[in-house]
Amino acid sequence: MAIKNSQNQVPDTGHEWDGIRELTNPPPRWWTIAFYLSAVWVIVYLIIYPSIPLVTDHTKGVIGWTAIGEYKEAVAANDAIRKPYLDKLETMSAQDIINDPEMLNFANSSTKALFGDYCAACHGSNGQGIAGMFPVLLDDDWLYGGTVSDITTTIASGRKGNMPAHTGTLDDTQINLLTDFVIAAAAGSATQEGWDAYQAAGCFACHGADAKGNKWMGSANLTDGIWRFGSDREAVMNVIKHGVNQDGVDGTVDGVMPAFGDRLSTNDIKLLTVKVWSLGGGQSE
Amino acid sequence: MSEEKNNLENIHNIEKIYNESAEHFDVNLGGKKIHPKKVSGRFRNYKNFAWVFWIGYILLPYLRWDGQQSILFDIPKRQFHLFSITVYPQDIWMLAFLLILLAMMLFGITAIAGRVFCGYFCFQTVWTDWFVQIESWIEGNPTQRRKLDDAPWSAKKIRKKSFKYLIWILISLLTGITFAAYFTDAYQLWVDIFTLQAHLYVWVTLLAFFVGTFLFAGFMRDQVCLWLCPYARIQSVMIDKDSILPTYDVKRGEPRSKAKKGVIDSEHGDCIDCKVCVAVCPMGVDIRNSALQEGCIMCGVCIDACDDIMDKVNRPRGLIRYNSEKEIEGIDLPPVYKRPRVIIYAGISLIAIMAIVMGLLNIPPLAVTVIHERQPMYVTMSDGSIRNSYTFKILNKTPEALNVKISVEGIDGIVMKGVGEFVILKPNKMIPFSVRLEAMPDKVVDKKVPVYFTITTVDSDIKISERYENFFAKP
């Protein structure tokens, strides 16, 4: 069979390595055209788009496209979608938002960044808190109450707990007895002796006669086991001995919720209230 | 007597055959333009059948079905409409089977008859066919076309060429618009294009297809198949000794010699070296060199052309015919259904078809995902119960709003919170919502126990009741 254009008939450069000849036949014409077109495209691109870095600036390109411009357009498009919701938010109270499923959905999804920026550092990305240090926002146990207005106040004005240290006023036996009582109370098995000690030490003044705490002053409910500063014996005893937020007392536990009223807009506080309320523990007024 | 007379007449006609020039090259390196001769015959007719199918491609988007476009790949809404079926990305696994099916069909057909996909069905072949046809209407037969190409520019040449390009451009535009029409409303698309309001994506798609069609079908033609198509390489390796390919019968044809007036030469073979088989080949292949050539797209027009010549010189047809390597060697070809490759390809195709049919018949009306909250896994409530949180993502694939009831079982006294009694699922939408389960720890037998959500439609013609398993964790 006759094969034309075979390698033997094609002129070569005279170079040969191990029997491989370097040929001089040109690439296909369409290939050459495509090659020059690509070169033309480079020039077209240079003219259309920002391309050449200069000393202080860069060439702008004839269509004025920039990456930041495209980004800003995308942001504006996103803002346009959010606008009707945001406008509605302005006029609604936190409770109104909670009552409106669509707005609630919007508030919850649009608060992710806000919650991440201002709350997550202590309360965790999902509100799970940090055991023994920062409160869980997902349960229904609230030191200062879990209604919409309680949560708004907490976020806007902050909270600072206050429990006196008892090392000076009570001896070790009494402290031991009280520690046992608190742990037993959470389990529902407190003895009469324990209740007597509780009365005698004056704990009822803050924690109430039934030891269920007082939302008004943020004292803990001693009959459930959900305690901010830990529920093992050592942690409980430490709180009784050294108190909470006591100036000049060694070993006192710090527990401060900062006030966000000056740092966040009313709208943001409203949104965060909705978010925290709907995490799962929100209570009705 | 009359037969002899016919014979002589035919041989007179042979002169005409030789007068038409035919070029010959094995591989078009890009410097030459192939002007294939027109041919008529059996295989040419098959090719015409194949291109009629592509007319369907152009018309299909304008069909309406159930009040919407019959075929619409709605990417922004992530819905794919195929007549009455709507496919969502969740059901896209069927696409894998569709691709398997197409691949297997191709492999099978290639194993049986070589690159006939290339020769008959491929859009490159079909569009090139159209373009060549238009070229021949406007510029005449291949000889006239070559003359015109070589002629200096004149008003006539400019007129003919520009008229040809205009029609090519119109076809290319139609091709581009048609492709875009599968992804957006076809009628609105025309309005948008003529009012210059179309989306940037439409313009880009249109431009790409317009330029691609114009260049590939108009100018590059055979070179696309030879140099650019990755697929030609794949298909070539599917051919085996059983595949039937257009083959020149060397024993019968050789030694070839020019037919002479009134002489029937018994020393020479049947090939009269008229080169018509080369002249008609859209790829510029000389089939007489070998059956398997990289350029050969196995379209069979050389067979039509040769049969025509054999009729004229009163010799039996089939000097060039579809023939397998085995048949050439004198071995009988086993029937198609007894060849292992064909059986395997057909088997896999069948499985793929069944999977697609089953999939299409059983597209679930809801796509449900239940995600257990991982951080934290559980929360203790003030009454001592344990709470687990779940995020539900339910996509309602039906065109109407569904009222569903979600219930849970698996733990004694388990309580569901966070959703009301009924959830309204908007059509074609997915809005996530949160569900909380609470149970007393003493009822939860292990650190992790299974719970079952049941989603049931309420007051609806669409009856759905599906169970989804998840787990409940405790400290």
Short mmCIF file of all heavy atoms in Angstrom, two decimals, chain A residues 1-5 25-30 102 105 125-128 136 138-141 221 223-226 278-281, chain B residues 24-27 29-32 220 223 227-228 288-290 373-376 379-383 387 389 426 431-432 436 438:
data_model
loop_
_atom_site.label_atom_id
_atom_site.label_comp_id
_atom_site.label_asym_id
_atom_site.label_seq_id
_atom_site.Cartn_x
_atom_site.Cartn_y
_atom_site.Cartn_z
N MET A 1 0.84 -1.21 0.00
CA MET A 1 0.00 0.00 0.00
C MET A 1 0.87 1.25 0.00
O MET A 1 1.90 1.31 0.68
CB MET A 1 -0.95 -0.01 1.19
CG MET A 1 -0.25 -0.11 2.51
SD MET A 1 -1.42 -0.22 3.86
CE MET A 1 -1.76 -1.98 3.86
N ALA A 2 0.42 2.20 -0.74
CA ALA A 2 1.22 3.43 -0.87
C ALA A 2 0.86 4.40 0.24
O ALA A 2 -0.30 4.68 0.46
CB ALA A 2 0.94 4.07 -2.22
N ILE A 3 1.85 4.84 0.94
CA ILE A 3 1.57 5.84 1.97
C ILE A 3 2.30 7.12 1.57
O ILE A 3 3.51 7.16 1.49
CB ILE A 3 2.03 5.37 3.35
CG1 ILE A 3 1.18 4.18 3.77
CG2 ILE A 3 1.94 6.49 4.38
CD1 ILE A 3 1.59 3.55 5.06
N LYS A 4 1.51 8.11 1.30
CA LYS A 4 2.13 9.39 0.96
C LYS A 4 2.32 10.19 2.23
O LYS A 4 1.80 9.85 3.28
CB LYS A 4 1.24 10.14 -0.03
CG LYS A 4 1.13 9.37 -1.34
CD LYS A 4 0.59 10.20 -2.45
CE LYS A 4 0.55 9.35 -3.71
NZ LYS A 4 -0.17 10.03 -4.79
N ASN A 5 3.05 11.25 2.10
CA ASN A 5 3.39 12.06 3.25
C ASN A 5 4.06 11.23 4.34
O ASN A 5 3.94 11.52 5.50
CB ASN A 5 2.16 12.72 3.87
CG ASN A 5 1.61 13.79 2.96
OD1 ASN A 5 2.34 14.32 2.14
ND2 ASN A 5 0.33 14.08 3.11
N ASN A 25 8.52 19.60 8.68
CA ASN A 25 7.19 19.86 8.09
C ASN A 25 6.37 20.75 9.02
O ASN A 25 6.45 20.64 10.23
CB ASN A 25 6.45 18.56 7.75
CG ASN A 25 6.34 17.64 8.91
OD1 ASN A 25 7.05 17.86 9.90
ND2 ASN A 25 5.51 16.64 8.85
N PRO A 26 5.63 21.67 8.42
CA PRO A 26 4.91 22.66 9.25
C PRO A 26 3.71 22.03 9.94
O PRO A 26 3.19 21.01 9.49
CB PRO A 26 4.47 23.69 8.23
CG PRO A 26 4.35 22.93 6.96
CD PRO A 26 5.37 21.85 7.00
N PRO A 27 3.27 22.65 11.03
CA PRO A 27 2.03 22.18 11.66
C PRO A 27 0.85 22.47 10.72
O PRO A 27 0.98 23.29 9.81
CB PRO A 27 1.94 23.00 12.94
CG PRO A 27 2.78 24.19 12.71
CD PRO A 27 3.83 23.80 11.74
N PRO A 28 -0.30 21.84 10.96
CA PRO A 28 -1.47 22.10 10.11
C PRO A 28 -1.81 23.59 10.09
O PRO A 28 -1.57 24.30 11.07
CB PRO A 28 -2.59 21.31 10.78
CG PRO A 28 -1.92 20.31 11.62
CD PRO A 28 -0.59 20.85 11.98
N ARG A 29 -2.38 24.02 8.97
CA ARG A 29 -2.65 25.45 8.84
C ARG A 29 -3.63 25.95 9.90
O ARG A 29 -3.45 27.01 10.48
CB ARG A 29 -3.19 25.75 7.45
CG ARG A 29 -3.10 27.24 7.14
CD ARG A 29 -3.39 27.50 5.70
NE ARG A 29 -4.75 27.04 5.37
CZ ARG A 29 -5.22 27.01 4.13
NH1 ARG A 29 -4.48 27.34 3.12
NH2 ARG A 29 -6.45 26.59 3.92
N TRP A 30 -4.67 25.13 10.19
CA TRP A 30 -5.64 25.57 11.20
C TRP A 30 -4.96 25.77 12.54
O TRP A 30 -5.32 26.66 13.31
CB TRP A 30 -6.78 24.56 11.32
CG TRP A 30 -6.36 23.20 11.82
CD1 TRP A 30 -6.05 22.13 11.07
CD2 TRP A 30 -6.20 22.80 13.17
NE1 TRP A 30 -5.70 21.07 11.86
CE2 TRP A 30 -5.79 21.46 13.15
CE3 TRP A 30 -6.36 23.43 14.41
CZ2 TRP A 30 -5.53 20.74 14.31
CZ3 TRP A 30 -6.11 22.71 15.57
CH2 TRP A 30 -5.69 21.37 15.51
N GLU A 102 -41.73 32.88 58.60
CA GLU A 102 -40.82 33.26 57.52
C GLU A 102 -39.74 34.22 58.04
O GLU A 102 -38.56 34.08 57.74
CB GLU A 102 -41.63 33.91 56.40
CG GLU A 102 -40.86 33.93 55.10
CD GLU A 102 -41.63 34.58 53.98
OE1 GLU A 102 -42.87 34.70 54.12
OE2 GLU A 102 -41.02 34.96 52.98
N ASN A 105 -37.28 32.42 60.22
CA ASN A 105 -36.31 31.70 59.40
C ASN A 105 -35.23 32.66 58.88
O ASN A 105 -34.04 32.37 58.92
CB ASN A 105 -37.05 31.04 58.24
CG ASN A 105 -36.18 30.03 57.54
OD1 ASN A 105 -35.35 29.38 58.17
ND2 ASN A 105 -36.35 29.90 56.24
N SER A 125 -20.17 27.99 69.06
CA SER A 125 -20.72 28.32 67.74
C SER A 125 -22.21 27.99 67.65
O SER A 125 -22.93 28.61 66.89
CB SER A 125 -19.96 27.56 66.66
OG SER A 125 -19.96 26.18 66.97
N ASN A 126 -22.66 26.99 68.38
CA ASN A 126 -24.08 26.65 68.35
C ASN A 126 -24.80 26.98 69.66
O ASN A 126 -25.89 26.50 69.89
CB ASN A 126 -24.25 25.16 68.05
CG ASN A 126 -23.85 24.83 66.64
OD1 ASN A 126 -24.04 25.63 65.74
ND2 ASN A 126 -23.28 23.66 66.46
N GLY A 127 -24.15 27.73 70.52
CA GLY A 127 -24.76 28.04 71.81
C GLY A 127 -24.56 26.94 72.83
O GLY A 127 -25.28 26.89 73.83
N GLN A 128 -23.59 26.07 72.58
CA GLN A 128 -23.40 24.96 73.51
C GLN A 128 -22.62 25.33 74.77
O GLN A 128 -22.49 24.51 75.67
CB GLN A 128 -22.72 23.79 72.78
CG GLN A 128 -21.25 23.97 72.45
CD GLN A 128 -21.03 24.57 71.07
OE1 GLN A 128 -21.85 25.33 70.58
NE2 GLN A 128 -19.92 24.26 70.45
N VAL A 136 -24.71 27.38 78.79
CA VAL A 136 -25.32 26.79 77.61
C VAL A 136 -26.56 27.61 77.27
O VAL A 136 -27.33 27.97 78.15
CB VAL A 136 -25.73 25.34 77.93
CG1 VAL A 136 -26.41 24.70 76.72
CG2 VAL A 136 -24.53 24.52 78.36
N LEU A 138 -28.76 26.48 74.98
CA LEU A 138 -29.69 25.59 74.31
C LEU A 138 -30.72 24.98 75.26
O LEU A 138 -31.72 24.44 74.82
CB LEU A 138 -28.92 24.45 73.63
CG LEU A 138 -27.96 24.86 72.52
CD1 LEU A 138 -26.96 23.76 72.26
CD2 LEU A 138 -28.74 25.15 71.26
N ASP A 139 -30.42 25.01 76.57
CA ASP A 139 -31.36 24.37 77.49
C ASP A 139 -32.38 25.40 77.99
O ASP A 139 -32.37 26.56 77.58
CB ASP A 139 -30.61 23.70 78.64
CG ASP A 139 -29.75 24.69 79.40
OD1 ASP A 139 -30.08 25.90 79.41
OD2 ASP A 139 -28.74 24.26 79.99
N ASP A 140 -33.25 24.97 78.87
CA ASP A 140 -34.31 25.87 79.32
C ASP A 140 -34.02 26.42 80.72
O ASP A 140 -34.91 26.85 81.42
CB ASP A 140 -35.66 25.12 79.32
CG ASP A 140 -35.61 23.90 80.23
OD1 ASP A 140 -34.49 23.52 80.65
OD2 ASP A 140 -36.67 23.33 80.51
N ASP A 141 -32.77 26.36 81.12
CA ASP A 141 -32.41 26.84 82.45
C ASP A 141 -31.79 28.23 82.33
O ASP A 141 -30.74 28.39 81.70
CB ASP A 141 -31.42 25.87 83.08
CG ASP A 141 -31.21 26.20 84.54
OD1 ASP A 141 -32.19 26.18 85.28
OD2 ASP A 141 -30.06 26.51 84.92
N ASN A 221 -30.90 28.11 90.43
CA ASN A 221 -31.82 27.10 90.92
C ASN A 221 -30.98 25.92 91.39
O ASN A 221 -30.27 25.30 90.61
CB ASN A 221 -32.75 26.69 89.77
CG ASN A 221 -33.75 25.63 90.19
OD1 ASN A 221 -33.69 25.10 91.30
ND2 ASN A 221 -34.68 25.33 89.30
N THR A 223 -32.11 23.14 92.67
CA THR A 223 -32.77 21.84 92.61
C THR A 223 -32.64 21.17 91.24
O THR A 223 -33.12 20.06 91.04
CB THR A 223 -34.26 21.97 92.96
OG1 THR A 223 -34.89 22.82 91.99
CG2 THR A 223 -34.45 22.54 94.34
N ASP A 224 -32.06 21.87 90.24
CA ASP A 224 -31.73 21.14 89.01
C ASP A 224 -30.21 21.00 88.95
O ASP A 224 -29.49 21.61 89.73
CB ASP A 224 -32.28 21.85 87.75
CG ASP A 224 -31.69 23.21 87.54
OD1 ASP A 224 -30.52 23.43 87.94
OD2 ASP A 224 -32.37 24.08 86.95
N GLY A 225 -29.72 20.18 88.10
CA GLY A 225 -28.28 19.92 88.08
C GLY A 225 -27.54 20.74 87.05
O GLY A 225 -26.40 20.45 86.71
N ILE A 226 -28.22 21.78 86.48
CA ILE A 226 -27.58 22.53 85.40
C ILE A 226 -26.91 23.76 85.98
O ILE A 226 -27.55 24.79 86.19
CB ILE A 226 -28.64 22.93 84.36
CG1 ILE A 226 -29.45 21.71 83.95
CG2 ILE A 226 -27.98 23.54 83.15
CD1 ILE A 226 -30.65 22.04 83.13
N SER A 278 -34.73 31.33 70.12
CA SER A 278 -35.16 30.17 69.35
C SER A 278 -34.14 29.04 69.36
O SER A 278 -34.34 28.03 68.69
CB SER A 278 -35.48 30.58 67.92
OG SER A 278 -34.38 31.20 67.33
N LEU A 279 -33.05 29.22 70.11
CA LEU A 279 -32.09 28.11 70.20
C LEU A 279 -32.72 26.90 70.90
O LEU A 279 -32.20 25.80 70.83
CB LEU A 279 -30.83 28.53 70.94
CG LEU A 279 -29.80 29.29 70.09
CD1 LEU A 279 -28.68 29.83 70.96
CD2 LEU A 279 -29.22 28.39 69.01
N GLY A 280 -33.80 27.12 71.60
CA GLY A 280 -34.47 25.96 72.17
C GLY A 280 -35.01 26.15 73.56
O GLY A 280 -35.86 25.41 74.01
N GLY A 281 -34.53 27.16 74.25
CA GLY A 281 -34.98 27.29 75.63
C GLY A 281 -35.87 28.49 75.89
O GLY A 281 -36.24 28.78 77.02
N HIS B 24 -5.98 12.83 -4.16
CA HIS B 24 -5.73 11.73 -3.25
C HIS B 24 -4.71 12.15 -2.19
O HIS B 24 -3.65 12.65 -2.50
CB HIS B 24 -5.20 10.54 -4.05
CG HIS B 24 -4.54 9.52 -3.17
ND1 HIS B 24 -3.36 8.95 -3.48
CD2 HIS B 24 -4.92 9.00 -1.99
CE1 HIS B 24 -3.02 8.11 -2.52
NE2 HIS B 24 -3.95 8.14 -1.61
N PHE B 25 -5.11 12.00 -0.97
CA PHE B 25 -4.11 12.17 0.11
C PHE B 25 -4.53 11.27 1.26
O PHE B 25 -5.71 11.00 1.49
CB PHE B 25 -3.99 13.60 0.60
CG PHE B 25 -5.17 14.46 0.30
CD1 PHE B 25 -6.34 14.30 1.00
CD2 PHE B 25 -5.11 15.45 -0.68
CE1 PHE B 25 -7.42 15.09 0.74
CE2 PHE B 25 -6.20 16.24 -0.94
CZ PHE B 25 -7.36 16.08 -0.23
N ASP B 26 -3.54 10.82 2.03
CA ASP B 26 -3.86 9.93 3.14
C ASP B 26 -4.29 10.73 4.35
O ASP B 26 -5.28 10.43 5.00
CB ASP B 26 -2.65 9.09 3.50
CG ASP B 26 -2.47 7.99 2.50
OD1 ASP B 26 -3.04 6.92 2.73
OD2 ASP B 26 -1.82 8.24 1.46
N VAL B 27 -3.50 11.71 4.67
CA VAL B 27 -3.82 12.51 5.84
C VAL B 27 -3.78 13.96 5.40
O VAL B 27 -2.78 14.43 4.87
CB VAL B 27 -2.81 12.26 6.97
CG1 VAL B 27 -3.03 13.24 8.10
CG2 VAL B 27 -2.90 10.83 7.46
N LEU B 29 -3.04 17.38 5.98
CA LEU B 29 -2.25 18.08 7.00
C LEU B 29 -2.76 19.49 7.25
O LEU B 29 -2.17 20.24 8.01
CB LEU B 29 -0.79 18.11 6.58
CG LEU B 29 -0.09 16.75 6.69
CD1 LEU B 29 1.28 16.81 6.07
CD2 LEU B 29 0.01 16.30 8.14
N GLY B 30 -3.82 19.85 6.62
CA GLY B 30 -4.41 21.15 6.92
C GLY B 30 -4.21 22.12 5.78
O GLY B 30 -4.77 23.21 5.78
N GLY B 31 -3.41 21.75 4.80
CA GLY B 31 -3.15 22.67 3.72
C GLY B 31 -4.16 22.56 2.59
O GLY B 31 -4.21 23.39 1.70
N LYS B 32 -4.96 21.50 2.63
CA LYS B 32 -5.86 21.27 1.51
C LYS B 32 -7.31 21.28 1.95
O LYS B 32 -7.61 20.94 3.09
CB LYS B 32 -5.54 19.92 0.88
CG LYS B 32 -4.27 19.95 0.07
CD LYS B 32 -3.92 18.57 -0.41
CE LYS B 32 -2.58 18.60 -1.14
NZ LYS B 32 -2.07 17.26 -1.39
N MET B 220 -13.04 23.54 8.90
CA MET B 220 -12.12 22.49 9.34
C MET B 220 -12.58 21.09 8.95
O MET B 220 -11.77 20.23 8.66
CB MET B 220 -11.88 22.61 10.83
CG MET B 220 -11.06 23.86 11.09
SD MET B 220 -10.39 23.99 12.71
CE MET B 220 -9.54 22.47 12.93
N GLN B 223 -10.79 17.76 9.33
CA GLN B 223 -9.67 17.93 10.26
C GLN B 223 -10.11 17.93 11.71
O GLN B 223 -9.32 17.63 12.61
CB GLN B 223 -8.92 19.21 9.90
CG GLN B 223 -8.38 19.11 8.51
CD GLN B 223 -7.69 20.36 8.08
OE1 GLN B 223 -6.73 20.76 8.70
NE2 GLN B 223 -8.21 20.97 7.05
N TRP B 227 -7.92 15.69 13.92
CA TRP B 227 -6.98 16.37 14.81
C TRP B 227 -7.60 16.76 16.14
O TRP B 227 -6.89 16.87 17.13
CB TRP B 227 -6.45 17.66 14.16
CG TRP B 227 -5.79 17.46 12.87
CD1 TRP B 227 -6.32 17.66 11.64
CD2 TRP B 227 -4.46 17.00 12.65
NE1 TRP B 227 -5.43 17.37 10.67
CE2 TRP B 227 -4.26 16.96 11.26
CE3 TRP B 227 -3.42 16.64 13.49
CZ2 TRP B 227 -3.07 16.57 10.68
CZ3 TRP B 227 -2.23 16.25 12.92
CH2 TRP B 227 -2.06 16.21 11.53
N LEU B 228 -8.85 17.06 16.16
CA LEU B 228 -9.42 17.64 17.37
C LEU B 228 -10.25 16.66 18.17
O LEU B 228 -10.34 16.77 19.38
CB LEU B 228 -10.32 18.84 17.01
CG LEU B 228 -9.60 20.07 16.47
CD1 LEU B 228 -10.59 21.19 16.29
CD2 LEU B 228 -8.50 20.50 17.40
N ARG B 288 -8.84 2.00 -0.84
CA ARG B 288 -8.13 0.86 -1.42
C ARG B 288 -6.80 0.61 -0.73
O ARG B 288 -6.19 -0.44 -0.88
CB ARG B 288 -7.91 1.09 -2.91
CG ARG B 288 -9.23 1.13 -3.68
CD ARG B 288 -9.02 1.56 -5.09
NE ARG B 288 -8.40 2.89 -5.15
CZ ARG B 288 -7.97 3.45 -6.26
NH1 ARG B 288 -8.08 2.82 -7.41
NH2 ARG B 288 -7.43 4.65 -6.25
N ASN B 289 -6.31 1.57 0.01
CA ASN B 289 -5.04 1.38 0.71
C ASN B 289 -5.20 0.42 1.89
O ASN B 289 -4.34 -0.39 2.17
CB ASN B 289 -4.50 2.71 1.22
CG ASN B 289 -3.97 3.55 0.08
OD1 ASN B 289 -3.76 3.04 -1.03
ND2 ASN B 289 -3.78 4.82 0.32
N SER B 290 -6.29 0.56 2.60
CA SER B 290 -6.49 -0.29 3.77
C SER B 290 -7.89 -0.04 4.30
O SER B 290 -8.45 1.05 4.11
CB SER B 290 -5.47 0.05 4.85
OG SER B 290 -5.94 -0.39 6.10
N GLU B 373 -27.88 17.32 65.18
CA GLU B 373 -26.96 18.37 65.64
C GLU B 373 -25.79 17.72 66.36
O GLU B 373 -25.98 16.91 67.27
CB GLU B 373 -27.72 19.31 66.58
CG GLU B 373 -26.94 20.52 67.01
CD GLU B 373 -26.62 21.44 65.85
OE1 GLU B 373 -27.55 22.04 65.27
OE2 GLU B 373 -25.43 21.54 65.52
N ARG B 374 -24.55 18.06 65.97
CA ARG B 374 -23.39 17.39 66.55
C ARG B 374 -22.74 18.19 67.67
O ARG B 374 -21.95 17.65 68.42
CB ARG B 374 -22.32 17.15 65.47
CG ARG B 374 -22.80 16.26 64.36
CD ARG B 374 -23.00 14.87 64.89
NE ARG B 374 -23.84 14.09 64.01
CZ ARG B 374 -23.45 12.97 63.41
NH1 ARG B 374 -22.26 12.51 63.60
NH2 ARG B 374 -24.28 12.32 62.65
N GLN B 375 -23.02 19.47 67.71
CA GLN B 375 -22.33 20.27 68.71
C GLN B 375 -23.33 21.18 69.40
O GLN B 375 -23.63 22.24 68.88
CB GLN B 375 -21.22 21.07 68.05
CG GLN B 375 -20.20 21.51 69.04
CD GLN B 375 -19.15 22.39 68.42
OE1 GLN B 375 -19.31 22.90 67.33
NE2 GLN B 375 -18.08 22.62 69.14
N PRO B 376 -23.90 20.82 70.50
CA PRO B 376 -23.63 19.61 71.27
C PRO B 376 -24.53 18.46 70.80
O PRO B 376 -25.55 18.69 70.18
CB PRO B 376 -24.02 20.03 72.69
CG PRO B 376 -25.12 21.00 72.47
CD PRO B 376 -24.86 21.69 71.18
N VAL B 379 -28.41 18.01 75.22
CA VAL B 379 -28.45 19.04 76.25
C VAL B 379 -29.35 18.51 77.36
O VAL B 379 -30.38 17.89 77.09
CB VAL B 379 -29.04 20.35 75.68
CG1 VAL B 379 -29.30 21.35 76.78
CG2 VAL B 379 -28.13 20.94 74.64
N THR B 380 -28.94 18.74 78.61
CA THR B 380 -29.80 18.33 79.72
C THR B 380 -30.73 19.49 80.07
O THR B 380 -30.29 20.63 80.18
CB THR B 380 -28.94 17.99 80.94
OG1 THR B 380 -27.94 17.05 80.53
CG2 THR B 380 -29.79 17.38 82.04
N MET B 381 -32.01 19.18 80.23
CA MET B 381 -32.99 20.21 80.54
C MET B 381 -33.21 20.27 82.04
O MET B 381 -32.81 19.38 82.79
CB MET B 381 -34.31 19.92 79.81
CG MET B 381 -34.15 19.74 78.32
SD MET B 381 -33.41 21.16 77.52
CE MET B 381 -34.83 22.24 77.46
N SER B 382 -33.90 21.31 82.48
CA SER B 382 -34.03 21.50 83.93
C SER B 382 -34.90 20.43 84.59
O SER B 382 -34.77 20.18 85.77
CB SER B 382 -34.56 22.89 84.24
OG SER B 382 -35.69 23.16 83.48
N ASP B 383 -35.77 19.78 83.83
CA ASP B 383 -36.53 18.70 84.44
C ASP B 383 -35.79 17.36 84.36
O ASP B 383 -36.35 16.31 84.67
CB ASP B 383 -37.92 18.58 83.80
CG ASP B 383 -37.85 18.23 82.33
OD1 ASP B 383 -36.72 18.19 81.78
OD2 ASP B 383 -38.91 18.02 81.72
N ARG B 387 -32.23 16.46 75.68
CA ARG B 387 -32.74 16.96 74.41
C ARG B 387 -31.70 16.76 73.31
O ARG B 387 -30.52 17.02 73.50
CB ARG B 387 -33.06 18.45 74.52
CG ARG B 387 -33.37 19.07 73.17
CD ARG B 387 -33.33 20.55 73.22
NE ARG B 387 -34.59 21.06 73.73
CZ ARG B 387 -34.79 22.35 74.00
NH1 ARG B 387 -33.81 23.20 73.85
NH2 ARG B 387 -35.95 22.75 74.45
N SER B 389 -31.17 17.77 69.12
CA SER B 389 -31.71 18.65 68.08
C SER B 389 -31.40 18.08 66.70
O SER B 389 -30.35 17.46 66.50
CB SER B 389 -31.11 20.04 68.18
OG SER B 389 -31.47 20.60 69.42
N LYS B 426 -43.63 24.18 50.85
CA LYS B 426 -43.93 24.92 49.62
C LYS B 426 -43.45 24.13 48.41
O LYS B 426 -42.44 23.43 48.49
CB LYS B 426 -43.22 26.27 49.66
CG LYS B 426 -43.83 27.21 50.66
CD LYS B 426 -43.16 28.55 50.58
CE LYS B 426 -43.75 29.49 51.61
NZ LYS B 426 -43.01 30.74 51.66
N ILE B 431 -36.90 24.67 52.66
CA ILE B 431 -36.58 25.58 53.75
C ILE B 431 -36.24 24.69 54.95
O ILE B 431 -37.04 23.85 55.35
CB ILE B 431 -37.76 26.51 54.07
CG1 ILE B 431 -38.00 27.44 52.88
CG2 ILE B 431 -37.48 27.31 55.33
CD1 ILE B 431 -39.25 28.25 52.98
N PRO B 432 -35.05 24.82 55.50
CA PRO B 432 -34.70 23.96 56.61
C PRO B 432 -35.45 24.37 57.88
O PRO B 432 -35.77 25.54 58.08
CB PRO B 432 -33.20 24.19 56.77
CG PRO B 432 -32.93 25.50 56.14
CD PRO B 432 -33.99 25.75 55.12
N ARG B 436 -36.74 19.30 67.79
CA ARG B 436 -36.04 18.86 69.01
C ARG B 436 -36.79 17.68 69.62
O ARG B 436 -38.01 17.67 69.66
CB ARG B 436 -35.98 20.00 70.01
CG ARG B 436 -35.31 21.21 69.45
CD ARG B 436 -35.20 22.34 70.42
NE ARG B 436 -34.84 23.54 69.66
CZ ARG B 436 -35.70 24.48 69.32
NH1 ARG B 436 -36.95 24.41 69.70
NH2 ARG B 436 -35.30 25.50 68.60
N GLU B 438 -37.14 15.29 73.06
CA GLU B 438 -36.79 15.23 74.48
C GLU B 438 -37.27 13.90 75.06
O GLU B 438 -38.38 13.45 74.78
CB GLU B 438 -37.44 16.39 75.23
CG GLU B 438 -36.76 17.72 74.92
CD GLU B 438 -37.45 18.91 75.55
OE1 GLU B 438 -38.22 18.73 76.52
OE2 GLU B 438 -37.23 20.02 75.04
#
